[in-house]
Amino acid sequence: MTLHTRLTDMFGIAHPVVLAPMDEVADWRLASAVADAGGLGLLGAGYGDKDWVDEQFRHLPTQRVGVGFITWSMAEQPGLLDAAIAHRPRAIFLSFGDPAPHAPAIHAAGIPLICQVHDIAQARKAIAAGADVIAAQGGEAGGHGTAARSTFTLVPEIADLLQSTAPEVLLLAAGGVADGRGLAAALALGADGALVGTRFWAATEAAVPHTAQIQGLRADGDATVRQSAFDIVRGKSWPTPYTGRVLRNEFTTRWHGQEPALRTDIAAQADLFDAAVLAQDYTVANAIAGEAIGQITEIRSAADIMEDMVSTATAILSPAGAAAVTVG
């Protein structure tokens, strides 16, 4: 079974599911697995390491998958975007910054531009910059974002905005989509597909230590928290108002809300954190996951995840005859 939408038409894929470009978690193995399963795979280039990007694309045919960057960090590295474009990715995904300065080069290369937004003002800027696809991310999502809006209200509002001002621009729902119920909801809310992170974080192909995934399986959505302590200890200067959603642990219990004290003891805490990462000690190291972690009970292959997600969404949408999709 397939769910046919404008997204599947644009990218020539079987299913309207896009892998979130999770920083380094979404390497060539996971991106390829999602592509093989019929979705759109995106490499998680994160803060931007040219050597890492080059290495990932060495494993991939031209236009096999796309790539995503943290925009403000990419902008600090002249030549990084051009280097990514040279690999002819299937799409370029920009998050957490102004896409406008980078859009002309992406458009000139004929590469679809996906812009992640967190509110209506950002959506309008993405439209003005010429985004081909907008990913509307609610605060439920894992990793960085804002707590300003939820997926369930943000997606239909941006769908209405696009319908009235830029109907050619496609829409992804992001944040909280981890199974077929979420995919069906995304399409019913007016999206052309879903951006999925946390569920693929718990895939067998994900570049995530097994110990971190096991911790995730034991958690529910209440076990996550939006915080900035991990950015401070890692030396990442995230702009306001972005925070990162992670699994709660002893480190967040000690330092969330105590950020000034953390900064005064940063050298010692950074050493402890680095040691915990090496030891895969997730009482201190950070495990990034969204609220949807509570829906995940096992680590499965990307293909199995996709099959379950699509078959469940198809079963939900078929009786309703949803106008947004053609089930076949």
Side-chain angles (χ1 to χ4, degrees), residues 7 15-20 40 171-174 177 179 182-184 186-187 191-197 200 309:
L7 184 80
H15 308 306
V17 176
V18 180
L19 170 65
L40 175 61
L171 178 62
L172 295 173
V177 180
D179 60 16
L183 177 57
L187 298 175
D192 298 285
L195 184 74
V196 178
F200 287 125
M309 189 175 291

Side-chain angles (χ1 to χ4, degrees), residues 103-117:
I106 298 170
H107 290 146
I111 297 171
L113 171 61
I114 306 174
C115 294
Q116 183 164 273
V117 305

Side-chain angles (χ1 to χ4, degrees), residues 22 25 30 197-219 247 280 282 286-289 293 296-301 305:
M22 298 172 283
V25 168
L30 181 57
T198 297
R199 186 60 192 96
F200 287 125
W201 178 89
T204 54
E205 299 91 346
V208 178
H210 187 67
T211 49
Q213 291 178 321
I214 293 300
Q215 180 173 334
L217 296 185
R218 296 170 179 159
L247 295 179
Q280 297 185 15
Y282 290 96
N286 58 322
I288 297 172
I293 194 69
I296 301 171
T297 59
E298 58 183 334
I299 300 165
R300 305 186 68 188
S301 70
I305 291 168

Side-chain angles (χ1 to χ4, degrees), residues 13 47-48 55 63 72 74 77 87 97 116 120 123 128 148 150 196 232 240 246 248 258 265 276 284 313 317:
I13 55 180
Y47 297 93
E55 174 62 24
Q63 291 201 327
W72 60 262
M74 182 193 73
Q77 302 173 68
H87 288 291
Q116 183 164 273
I120 301 303
S150 69
V196 178
I232 294 170
T240 304
V246 299
R248 297 177 187 271
Q258 301 295 324
D265 193 32
V284 176
L317 292 170

Side-chain angles (χ1 to χ4, degrees), residues 69-288:
F69 292 100
I70 295 169
T71 310
W72 60 262
S73 182
M74 182 193 73
E76 296 173 353
Q77 302 173 68
L80 180 58
L81 178 59
D82 289 341
I85 288 173
H87 288 291
R88 305 303 304 168
R90 190 68 190 85
I92 291 180
F93 187 108
L94 299 181
S95 308
F96 317 118
D98 185 3
H102 317 293
I106 298 170
H107 290 146
I111 297 171
L113 171 61
I114 306 174
C115 294
Q116 183 164 273
V117 305
H118 306 86
D119 57 36
I120 301 303
Q122 290 181 2
R124 293 185 186 279
K125 289 181 179 178
I127 294 168
D132 298 289
V133 183
I134 288 177
Q137 186 194 66
E140 302 94 322
H144 283 87
T146 73
R149 297 294 302 270
S150 69
T151 305
F152 205 78
T153 59
L154 181 61
V155 170
E157 189 171 350
I158 293 182
D160 291 345
L161 173 67
L162 293 176
Q163 182 62 36
S164 63
T165 64
E168 73 284 0
V169 178
L170 274 57
L171 178 62
L172 295 173
V177 180
D179 60 16
R181 295 171 298 178
L183 177 57
L187 298 175
L189 290 172
D192 298 285
L195 184 74
V196 178
T198 297
R199 186 60 192 96
F200 287 125
W201 178 89
T204 54
E205 299 91 346
V208 178
H210 187 67
T211 49
Q213 291 178 321
I214 293 300
Q215 180 173 334
L217 296 185
R218 296 170 179 159
D220 57 27
D222 293 340
T224 70
V225 61
R226 301 206 68 88
Q227 50 73 57
S228 60
F230 280 122
D231 290 331
I232 294 170
V233 79
R234 294 182 303 151
K236 305 295 186 183
S237 299
W238 272 83
T240 304
Y242 297 111
T243 54
R245 185 177 293 283
V246 299
L247 295 179
R248 297 177 187 271
N249 62 8
E250 293 177 10
F251 185 89
T252 60
T253 298
R254 173 67 181 88
W255 296 112
H256 179 48
Q258 301 295 324
E259 291 79 9
L262 174 59
R263 288 188 173 93
T264 64
D265 193 32
I266 192 62
Q269 295 305 318
D271 287 345
L272 291 172
F273 175 82
D274 291 344
V277 171
L278 288 174
Q280 297 185 15
D281 174 9
Y282 290 96
T283 64
V284 176
N286 58 322
I288 297 172

